[in-house]
Amino acid sequence: MQREKFVDGLRSGVKFTDAERNEIVKKAVEHRGIETTGIICMEEMAELQQQISKYLRGCGDILCLLEKMADVYICLKYIEKVFEIHPDQILKAIDVKLLREKGRLDE
């Protein structure tokens, strides 16, 4: 996305409901198909890796990082849709992983 449009969007009053977000995700997956959606997700995740690397080397910026993070969050929703993973399932899996992390931190 062009940086100027992204910044304008951040300043705007745009705010979708969960139902609206889910509908957009559903339509996007149906429109692109599973294979193309998967490829897009892999590319977006790689772009986030690049932005994190740039930021850690001191040549990235927080706005680019934010944009790539948003792209990856959207892609995770695509993956949930494609593989029919219910949000409750992913939240439970996150809790299991965080419990493990908490145990490591408590040691």
Side-chain angles (χ1 to χ4, degrees), residues 9-43:
L10 290 175
R11 292 180 181 145
S12 77
V14 66
K15 183 173 172 96
F16 292 113
T17 65
D18 285 341
E20 290 170 323
R21 288 185 193 109
N22 290 337
E23 185 62 24
I24 294 167
V25 165
K26 177 183 174 200
K27 286 182 179 180
V29 170
E30 289 171 355
H31 176 74
R32 291 190 184 110
I34 292 171
E35 185 173 322
T36 301
T37 299
I39 291 168
I40 289 170
C41 290
M42 290 185 287
E43 290 171 353

Side-chain angles (χ1 to χ4, degrees), residues 2 7 11-12 14 16 18 23 28 33-36 41 44 50 53 62 66 69 71 73 81 84 88-89 100 107:
Q2 293 177 350
V7 171
R11 292 180 181 145
S12 77
V14 66
F16 292 113
D18 285 341
E23 185 62 24
I34 292 171
E35 185 173 322
T36 301
C41 290
E44 293 296 350
Q50 291 173 334
S53 178
I62 198 73
L66 176 63
M69 287 176 66
D71 288 339
Y73 272 96
K81 183 69 179 164
E84 298 177 1
D88 289 343
Q89 291 174 297
R100 182 181 68 174
E107 292 177 356

Side-chain angles (χ1 to χ4, degrees), residues 1-12 63:
M1 177 177 237
Q2 293 177 350
R3 186 178 182 104
E4 186 177 307
K5 286 185 178 183
F6 182 66
V7 171
D8 288 346
L10 290 175
R11 292 180 181 145
S12 77
L63 195 58

Side-chain angles (χ1 to χ4, degrees), residues 40-93:
I40 289 170
C41 290
M42 290 185 287
E43 290 171 353
E44 293 296 350
M45 290 177 190
E47 289 176 12
L48 177 59
Q49 284 181 292
Q50 291 173 334
Q51 285 304 315
I52 293 168
S53 178
K54 286 179 182 179
Y55 192 82
L56 292 174
R57 289 179 294 145
C59 57
D61 72 71
I62 198 73
L63 195 58
C64 286
L65 188 62
L66 176 63
E67 183 177 3
K68 294 306 165 191
M69 287 176 66
D71 288 339
V72 169
Y73 272 96
I74 292 166
C75 285
L76 291 173
K77 290 299 185 182
Y78 290 160
I79 293 168
E80 282 181 17
K81 183 69 179 164
V82 166
F83 294 103
E84 298 177 1
I85 297 171
H86 193 275
D88 289 343
Q89 291 174 297
I90 194 67
L91 290 174
K92 180 64 175 184

